[in-house]
Amino acid sequence: MVTAIVGANWGDEGKGKITDMLGEKSDIIVRFQGGSNAGHTIINDYGKFALHLLPSGVFYNHTTSVIGNGVALNIPYLFKEINSLVEQGVPKPKILVSDRAQILMPYHILFDQYEEERLGKKSFGSTKSGIAPFYSDKYAKIGIQVSELFDDDVLKDKIARICEQKNVTLKYLYNKPELDPDELLNTLHEYRDMVAPYVCDVSAFLRQAIKEGKGILLEGQLGSLKDPDHGIYPMVTSSSTLAAYGAIGAGIPPYEIKRIVTVVKAYSSAVGAGEFVSEIHDEVEAEELRKRGGDGGEYGATTGRPRRMGWFDAVASRYGCQIQGATEVALTVLDCLGYLKEIPVCVGYEIDGEVVKDFPVTAKLAKAKPVYETLPGWNCDIRGITEYDKLPENCRRYIEFIEKEIGVPITMVSNGPKRSEIIYR
């Protein structure tokens, strides 16, 4: 069976832990979109890890980790990540890389940095990992596919076209050094040698695995509200964050995705710019939640940037679950709220004097003011509890209130960063 694990919010929902946990009973874990621009934090028997390109199931000996065709493949970063795991005592994971994946090049990272620099205060808050320039090139048809690494004639022709276009922009828009075709070819030869042993027809591999009844996890990056079509455009990422895209980014039929586990955070957080209705604007209050949140504070796993903090947003989370097609929800980082005597929950948006429950387009979102309902807190530590009925009553009420608001059954509750700190309902 194919299961997709995706986020309902702005990213950073705790998908890595859920993938790591469900990976125990899976055969194959697939990254199907995004690149090294966001991280998944994993805490297990080997230690604490921040993964960026590798799927979060790499810690099991029985799993195969797959980089799908939809991923922005930073080849040296991938192998740096693999080597880092091995150095920390993790058995070398079994890796497959799609021959249809496209390669994130060093100039993509430079263009990302140059554009953010040019935009100044109007920048998008990019992680400067080259993601937007990479996907721009992919759809402009000047991206480099892994399969093309093995044909020098194709590479040289592609490089000539890339340099012709990029050097005009570098020279006249950014006033930066131009690309050298020979240097690019040498870089691509290095990438070819690194990735060659792992390249395969991932789509064919997965179709065969489905025939054999293997358990497959599709792991998404970021969340619904960062999707370029359905999120808070333009402050979004550059590839689809939705479970539906898992079929495209992995190369399998859409009807094979039977289960969509959507991860929802028990409060809200966001990295980068963009509309964020339930944001906590009192910095003292925000910092208190930030330092208690996540697995060691709410700071970006890739950038280290402090995340913007907010209360649970039922409007955004319900929409996030709907657009993902959630069949069930994993509610995460609930334990972080134990210090609060009262917990506000955003249940509606007031826009031009009218309270709405449906998540609006960005232009209307900019006008939205949160409508809060305040729930009593449980004011105690719940870490270590593994049975639902042993949670404090107010904690159960909070979970059930969220479940009613989002309209999807909450089947798992995470009350700590470790793999074992989970409650099944």
Coordinates of all heavy atoms in Angstrom, one line a residue, residues 219-294:
E219 N 7.1 10.9 1.3 CA 7.3 11.9 2.3 C 7.4 13.3 1.6 O 8.2 13.5 0.8 CB 8.6 11.6 3.0 CG 8.9 12.7 4.1 CD 10.3 12.4 4.7 OE1 11.1 11.7 4.2 OE2 10.5 13.0 5.8
G220 N 6.5 14.2 2.0 CA 6.5 15.5 1.5 C 7.3 16.5 2.4 O 7.6 16.2 3.5
Q221 N 7.6 17.6 1.8 CA 8.4 18.7 2.5 C 7.5 19.9 2.6 O 6.7 20.2 1.7 CB 9.6 19.0 1.6 CG 10.5 20.0 2.2 CD 11.4 20.7 1.2 OE1 10.9 21.4 0.3 NE2 12.7 20.4 1.3
L222 N 7.7 20.7 3.7 CA 6.8 21.8 3.9 C 5.4 21.4 4.1 O 5.1 20.3 4.4 CB 7.1 22.9 2.9 CG 8.5 23.5 2.9 CD1 8.8 24.3 1.7 CD2 8.8 24.3 4.1
G223 N 4.4 22.3 3.9 CA 3.0 22.0 4.1 C 2.1 22.7 3.1 O 2.5 23.4 2.2
S224 N 0.8 22.4 3.3 CA -0.2 22.9 2.4 C -0.1 24.4 2.1 O -0.3 24.8 0.9 CB -1.6 22.6 2.9 OG -1.8 21.3 3.2
L225 N 0.2 25.2 3.1 CA 0.1 26.6 2.9 C 1.3 27.2 2.2 O 1.4 28.4 1.9 CB -0.1 27.3 4.3 CG -1.3 26.8 5.1 CD1 -1.4 27.5 6.4 CD2 -2.6 27.0 4.3
K226 N 2.3 26.3 1.9 CA 3.5 26.7 1.1 C 3.4 26.2 -0.4 O 4.3 26.3 -1.1 CB 4.8 26.2 1.7 CG 5.1 27.0 3.0 CD 5.5 28.4 2.7 CE 5.9 29.2 4.0 NZ 6.4 30.5 3.7
D227 N 2.2 25.6 -0.7 CA 2.0 25.1 -2.1 C 1.9 26.2 -3.0 O 1.2 27.2 -2.7 CB 0.8 24.2 -2.1 CG 0.6 23.6 -3.5 OD1 1.2 22.5 -3.8 OD2 -0.2 24.1 -4.3
P228 N 2.6 26.2 -4.2 CA 2.5 27.3 -5.1 C 1.2 27.6 -5.7 O 0.9 28.7 -6.1 CB 3.5 26.9 -6.2 CG 3.7 25.5 -6.1 CD 3.5 25.1 -4.7
D229 N 0.3 26.6 -5.8 CA -1.1 26.8 -6.3 C -2.1 27.1 -5.2 O -3.0 28.0 -5.4 CB -1.6 25.6 -7.1 CG -0.9 25.5 -8.4 OD1 -1.2 26.2 -9.3 OD2 0.0 24.6 -8.5
H230 N -2.0 26.4 -4.1 CA -3.0 26.5 -3.1 C -2.6 27.2 -1.8 O -3.4 27.2 -0.8 CB -3.6 25.1 -2.8 CG -4.2 24.5 -4.0 ND1 -5.4 24.8 -4.5 CD2 -3.6 23.6 -4.9 CE1 -5.7 24.1 -5.6 NE2 -4.6 23.3 -5.9
G231 N -1.4 27.6 -1.7 CA -0.9 28.3 -0.5 C -0.9 29.8 -0.5 O -1.7 30.4 -1.3
I232 N -0.1 30.4 0.3 CA -0.1 31.9 0.5 C 0.7 32.5 -0.6 O 1.6 33.3 -0.3 CB 0.3 32.3 1.9 CG1 1.6 31.6 2.3 CG2 -0.8 31.8 2.9 CD1 2.2 32.2 3.6
Y233 N 0.5 32.2 -1.8 CA 1.2 32.8 -3.0 C 1.3 34.3 -2.9 O 0.3 35.0 -2.6 CB 0.5 32.4 -4.3 CG 1.3 32.7 -5.5 CD1 2.3 31.9 -6.0 CD2 1.1 33.9 -6.2 CE1 3.0 32.2 -7.1 CE2 1.9 34.3 -7.3 CZ 2.8 33.4 -7.8 OH 3.5 33.7 -8.9
P234 N 2.5 34.9 -3.1 CA 3.7 34.4 -3.7 C 4.7 33.9 -2.6 O 5.8 33.4 -3.0 CB 4.3 35.5 -4.4 CG 3.9 36.7 -3.6 CD 2.6 36.4 -3.1
M235 N 4.4 33.9 -1.3 CA 5.3 33.5 -0.3 C 5.2 32.0 -0.1 O 4.9 31.5 1.0 CB 5.0 34.3 1.0 CG 5.1 35.8 0.9 SD 6.7 36.3 0.3 CE 6.5 38.1 0.3
V236 N 5.5 31.3 -1.1 CA 5.4 29.9 -1.1 C 6.7 29.2 -1.6 O 7.6 29.9 -2.0 CB 4.2 29.4 -2.1 CG1 2.9 29.9 -1.5 CG2 4.4 30.0 -3.5
T237 N 6.7 27.9 -1.6 CA 7.9 27.2 -2.2 C 7.6 27.0 -3.7 O 6.6 27.5 -4.2 CB 8.1 25.9 -1.4 OG1 9.4 25.4 -1.8 CG2 7.1 24.8 -1.7
S238 N 8.5 26.3 -4.4 CA 8.5 26.3 -5.8 C 8.0 24.9 -6.4 O 8.1 24.7 -7.6 CB 9.8 26.6 -6.4 OG 10.2 27.9 -5.9
S239 N 7.7 24.0 -5.5 CA 7.1 22.7 -6.0 C 5.9 22.4 -5.1 O 5.8 22.8 -4.0 CB 8.2 21.6 -5.8 OG 8.5 21.4 -4.5
S240 N 5.0 21.6 -5.7 CA 3.8 21.3 -5.0 C 4.0 20.4 -3.7 O 4.8 19.4 -3.7 CB 2.8 20.5 -5.9 OG 1.6 20.2 -5.1
T241 N 3.4 20.9 -2.6 CA 3.6 20.2 -1.3 C 2.5 19.3 -1.0 O 2.4 18.8 0.1 CB 3.7 21.3 -0.2 OG1 2.4 22.0 -0.2 CG2 4.8 22.2 -0.4
L242 N 1.6 19.0 -2.0 CA 0.4 18.2 -1.8 C 0.6 16.7 -2.0 O 1.4 16.3 -2.9 CB -0.7 18.7 -2.6 CG -1.1 20.2 -2.5 CD1 -2.3 20.6 -3.3 CD2 -1.3 20.6 -1.0
A243 N -0.2 15.9 -1.3 CA -0.1 14.5 -1.5 C -0.4 14.1 -3.0 O 0.2 13.1 -3.5 CB -1.1 13.8 -0.6
A244 N -1.3 14.8 -3.6 CA -1.6 14.5 -5.0 C -0.3 14.5 -5.9 O -0.2 13.8 -6.8 CB -2.6 15.4 -5.5
Y245 N 0.6 15.4 -5.6 CA 1.8 15.6 -6.3 C 2.7 14.4 -6.1 O 3.6 14.1 -6.9 CB 2.5 16.9 -6.0 CG 3.7 17.2 -7.0 CD1 3.4 17.6 -8.3 CD2 5.0 17.0 -6.6 CE1 4.5 17.9 -9.1 CE2 6.0 17.2 -7.4 CZ 5.8 17.7 -8.7 OH 6.8 17.9 -9.6
G246 N 2.5 13.7 -5.0 CA 3.3 12.5 -4.7 C 3.3 11.5 -5.9 O 4.3 10.9 -6.2
A247 N 2.2 11.4 -6.6 CA 2.0 10.5 -7.7 C 2.9 10.9 -8.8 O 3.6 10.1 -9.5 CB 0.6 10.4 -8.2
I248 N 3.0 12.3 -9.1 CA 3.8 12.8 -10.1 C 5.3 12.8 -9.8 O 6.1 12.4 -10.6 CB 3.4 14.3 -10.4 CG1 1.9 14.3 -10.9 CG2 4.3 14.9 -11.4 CD1 1.2 15.7 -10.8
G249 N 5.6 13.2 -8.6 CA 7.0 13.3 -8.1 C 7.7 12.0 -7.9 O 8.9 11.9 -7.7
A250 N 6.9 10.9 -7.8 CA 7.5 9.6 -7.6 C 7.3 8.7 -8.9 O 8.0 7.7 -9.1 CB 6.8 8.9 -6.4
G251 N 6.3 9.1 -9.7 CA 6.0 8.4 -11.0 C 5.2 7.1 -10.8 O 5.4 6.1 -11.3
I252 N 4.1 7.3 -10.0 CA 3.2 6.2 -9.8 C 1.7 6.6 -10.1 O 1.5 7.8 -10.1 CB 3.2 5.6 -8.3 CG1 2.8 6.7 -7.3 CG2 4.6 5.0 -8.0 CD1 2.7 6.2 -5.9
P253 N 0.8 5.7 -10.3 CA -0.6 6.1 -10.6 C -1.2 6.8 -9.4 O -1.0 6.3 -8.2 CB -1.3 4.8 -10.9 CG -0.2 3.9 -11.3 CD 1.0 4.3 -10.5
P254 N -2.0 7.8 -9.5 CA -2.6 8.5 -8.4 C -3.5 7.7 -7.5 O -3.6 7.8 -6.3 CB -3.3 9.7 -9.0 CG -3.5 9.4 -10.4 CD -2.3 8.5 -10.8
Y255 N -4.2 6.7 -8.2 CA -5.1 5.9 -7.4 C -4.4 4.9 -6.5 O -5.1 4.2 -5.7 CB -6.0 5.1 -8.4 CG -5.3 4.3 -9.4 CD1 -4.7 3.1 -9.1 CD2 -5.3 4.7 -10.7 CE1 -4.1 2.3 -10.1 CE2 -4.6 4.0 -11.7 CZ -4.0 2.8 -11.4 OH -3.4 2.0 -12.4
E256 N -3.1 4.8 -6.6 CA -2.4 3.9 -5.7 C -2.2 4.5 -4.3 O -1.9 3.8 -3.3 CB -1.0 3.5 -6.2 CG -1.1 2.7 -7.5 CD -1.6 1.3 -7.3 OE1 -1.9 0.9 -6.1 OE2 -1.8 0.5 -8.3
I257 N -2.4 5.8 -4.1 CA -2.2 6.4 -2.8 C -3.5 6.2 -2.0 O -4.5 6.9 -2.3 CB -1.9 7.9 -3.0 CG1 -0.6 8.1 -3.8 CG2 -1.7 8.6 -1.6 CD1 -0.3 9.6 -4.1
K258 N -3.4 5.3 -1.1 CA -4.7 4.9 -0.4 C -4.8 5.6 1.0 O -5.9 5.7 1.5 CB -4.6 3.4 -0.1 CG -4.4 2.5 -1.3 CD -5.5 2.5 -2.3 CE -5.3 1.5 -3.4 NZ -6.2 1.7 -4.5
R259 N -3.7 6.1 1.5 CA -3.7 6.6 2.9 C -3.0 7.9 2.9 O -1.8 8.0 2.4 CB -3.1 5.6 3.9 CG -3.1 6.0 5.3 CD -2.3 5.0 6.1 NE -2.3 5.3 7.5 CZ -1.4 4.8 8.4 NH1 -0.5 3.9 8.0 NH2 -1.5 5.1 9.7
I260 N -3.6 9.0 3.4 CA -2.9 10.3 3.4 C -2.9 10.8 4.9 O -3.9 11.3 5.4 CB -3.6 11.3 2.5 CG1 -3.6 10.8 1.1 CG2 -2.9 12.7 2.6 CD1 -4.4 11.7 0.1
V261 N -1.7 10.6 5.5 CA -1.5 11.0 6.9 C -1.1 12.5 6.8 O 0.0 12.8 6.3 CB -0.5 10.1 7.6 CG1 -0.3 10.6 9.1 CG2 -0.9 8.7 7.6
T262 N -1.9 13.3 7.3 CA -1.6 14.8 7.3 C -1.2 15.2 8.7 O -1.9 15.0 9.7 CB -2.8 15.6 6.8 OG1 -3.1 15.1 5.5 CG2 -2.4 17.0 6.6
V263 N 0.0 15.8 8.8 CA 0.6 16.2 10.1 C 0.1 17.6 10.4 O 0.3 18.5 9.6 CB 2.1 16.0 10.1 CG1 2.6 16.3 11.5 CG2 2.5 14.6 9.6
V264 N -0.4 17.8 11.6 CA -1.0 19.1 12.0 C -0.3 19.4 13.3 O -0.2 18.6 14.2 CB -2.5 19.0 12.2 CG1 -3.1 20.3 12.8 CG2 -3.2 18.7 10.9
K265 N 0.1 20.6 13.4 CA 0.8 21.1 14.7 C -0.2 21.6 15.7 O -1.2 22.2 15.3 CB 1.8 22.2 14.3 CG 3.0 22.3 15.2 CD 4.0 23.2 14.5 CE 5.4 23.2 15.2 NZ 6.4 23.8 14.5
A266 N 0.1 21.3 17.0 CA -0.9 21.7 18.0 C -0.9 23.2 18.3 O -1.7 23.7 19.0 CB -0.6 21.0 19.3
Y267 N 0.0 23.9 17.7 CA 0.1 25.4 17.7 C 0.6 25.8 16.3 O 0.7 24.9 15.4 CB 0.9 26.0 18.8 CG 2.3 25.4 18.8 CD1 3.4 26.1 18.1 CD2 2.6 24.3 19.6 CE1 4.7 25.5 18.1 CE2 3.9 23.8 19.6 CZ 4.9 24.4 18.9 OH 6.2 23.9 18.9
S268 N 0.9 27.0 16.0 CA 1.3 27.4 14.7 C 2.7 27.9 14.7 O 3.1 28.6 15.7 CB 0.4 28.5 14.1 OG -0.9 28.0 13.9
S269 N 3.5 27.7 13.6 CA 4.8 28.3 13.4 C 5.0 28.4 12.0 O 4.5 27.7 11.1 CB 5.9 27.5 14.1 OG 6.1 26.3 13.4
A270 N 5.9 29.4 11.6 CA 6.2 29.6 10.2 C 7.6 30.2 10.1 O 8.0 31.0 10.9 CB 5.2 30.5 9.5
V271 N 8.3 29.8 9.0 CA 9.6 30.4 8.7 C 9.4 31.3 7.4 O 8.8 30.9 6.5 CB 10.7 29.3 8.5 CG1 11.9 29.9 7.9 CG2 10.9 28.6 9.7
G272 N 10.0 32.4 7.4 CA 10.0 33.3 6.3 C 8.8 34.2 6.2 O 8.0 34.2 7.2
A273 N 8.7 34.9 5.2 CA 7.6 36.0 5.0 C 6.3 35.3 4.6 O 6.2 34.2 4.2 CB 8.1 37.0 4.0
G274 N 5.2 36.1 4.7 CA 3.9 35.7 4.3 C 2.8 35.9 5.3 O 3.1 36.1 6.5
E275 N 1.6 35.8 4.9 CA 0.5 36.1 5.8 C 0.4 34.9 6.8 O 0.5 33.8 6.5 CB -0.8 36.1 5.0 CG -0.8 37.2 3.9 CD -0.5 38.6 4.3 OE1 -0.7 38.9 5.5 OE2 0.0 39.4 3.5
F276 N 0.1 35.3 8.1 CA 0.1 34.4 9.2 C -0.9 35.0 10.2 O -0.5 35.7 11.1 CB 1.5 34.3 9.7 CG 1.8 33.3 10.8 CD1 0.9 32.2 11.0 CD2 2.9 33.4 11.6 CE1 1.2 31.3 12.0 CE2 3.2 32.4 12.6 CZ 2.3 31.4 12.8
V277 N -2.1 34.6 10.1 CA -3.2 35.3 10.8 C -3.1 35.1 12.3 O -3.4 36.1 13.0 CB -4.6 34.8 10.2 CG1 -5.7 35.5 11.0 CG2 -4.7 35.2 8.8
S278 N -2.8 33.9 12.8 CA -2.9 33.7 14.2 C -1.5 34.0 14.9 O -1.3 33.5 16.0 CB -3.3 32.2 14.5 OG -2.3 31.3 14.1
E279 N -0.6 34.7 14.2 CA 0.7 35.0 14.7 C 0.6 35.7 16.1 O -0.3 36.6 16.3 CB 1.5 35.9 13.8 CG 2.9 36.1 14.2 CD 3.8 36.7 13.1 OE1 3.3 37.1 12.1 OE2 5.0 36.8 13.3
I280 N 1.5 35.4 17.0 CA 1.6 36.0 18.3 C 2.5 37.2 18.2 O 3.7 37.1 17.9 CB 2.1 35.0 19.4 CG1 1.2 33.8 19.5 CG2 2.3 35.7 20.7 CD1 1.8 32.7 20.3
H281 N 1.9 38.4 18.3 CA 2.7 39.6 18.1 C 3.4 40.1 19.4 O 4.3 41.0 19.3 CB 1.8 40.7 17.5 CG 1.3 40.4 16.1 ND1 2.2 40.3 15.1 CD2 0.1 40.0 15.7 CE1 1.5 40.0 14.0 NE2 0.2 39.8 14.3
D282 N 3.0 39.6 20.5 CA 3.7 39.9 21.8 C 5.0 39.1 21.8 O 4.9 37.9 21.9 CB 2.8 39.6 23.0 CG 3.5 39.9 24.3 OD1 4.7 39.7 24.5 OD2 2.7 40.3 25.3
E283 N 6.1 39.7 21.6 CA 7.4 39.0 21.5 C 7.8 38.2 22.7 O 8.4 37.1 22.6 CB 8.5 39.9 21.0 CG 9.8 39.2 20.6 CD 9.6 38.0 19.7 OE1 8.8 38.1 18.7 OE2 10.3 37.0 19.9
V284 N 7.4 38.6 23.9 CA 7.7 37.9 25.1 C 6.9 36.6 25.1 O 7.5 35.5 25.4 CB 7.4 38.7 26.4 CG1 7.5 37.9 27.6 CG2 8.3 40.0 26.4
E285 N 5.6 36.7 24.8 CA 4.8 35.5 24.7 C 5.2 34.6 23.6 O 5.2 33.4 23.8 CB 3.3 36.0 24.4 CG 2.3 35.0 24.8 CD 0.9 35.6 24.7 OE1 0.7 36.6 24.0 OE2 -0.1 35.0 25.3
A286 N 5.6 35.1 22.4 CA 6.0 34.3 21.3 C 7.3 33.6 21.6 O 7.5 32.4 21.3 CB 6.2 35.2 20.1
E287 N 8.2 34.3 22.3 CA 9.5 33.7 22.6 C 9.4 32.6 23.7 O 10.1 31.6 23.6 CB 10.5 34.8 23.2 CG 11.9 34.3 23.5 CD 12.6 33.6 22.4 OE1 12.3 33.8 21.2 OE2 13.5 32.7 22.7
E288 N 8.4 32.7 24.6 CA 8.2 31.7 25.5 C 7.7 30.4 24.9 O 8.2 29.3 25.2 CB 7.1 32.1 26.5 CG 6.8 31.2 27.7 CD 8.0 31.0 28.7 OE1 8.8 32.0 28.7 OE2 8.1 30.0 29.3
L289 N 6.8 30.5 23.9 CA 6.4 29.3 23.2 C 7.5 28.8 22.3 O 7.7 27.6 22.1 CB 5.1 29.6 22.3 CG 4.5 28.5 21.5 CD1 4.2 27.3 22.3 CD2 3.3 29.0 20.8
R290 N 8.2 29.7 21.6 CA 9.3 29.3 20.7 C 10.4 28.5 21.4 O 10.8 27.5 20.9 CB 10.0 30.6 20.1 CG 11.1 30.3 19.1 CD 11.7 31.6 18.6 NE 10.7 32.4 17.8 CZ 10.3 33.6 18.1 NH1 10.8 34.2 19.2 NH2 9.4 34.2 17.4
K291 N 10.8 28.9 22.6 CA 11.9 28.2 23.3 C 11.4 26.9 23.9 O 12.2 25.9 24.1 CB 12.5 29.1 24.4 CG 11.6 29.3 25.7 CD 12.3 30.2 26.7 CE 11.5 30.3 27.9 NZ 12.1 31.3 28.9
R292 N 10.1 26.7 24.1 CA 9.5 25.4 24.6 C 9.2 24.5 23.4 O 9.0 23.3 23.6 CB 8.3 25.7 25.4 CG 8.5 26.4 26.7 CD 7.2 26.8 27.4 NE 7.4 27.5 28.7 CZ 7.5 26.9 29.9 NH1 7.4 25.5 29.9 NH2 7.6 27.6 31.0
G293 N 9.0 25.1 22.2 CA 8.5 24.3 21.1 C 9.4 23.3 20.5 O 10.6 23.3 20.8
G294 N 8.9 22.6 19.5 CA 9.7 21.6 18.8 C 10.4 20.6 19.7 O 9.9 20.2 20.7

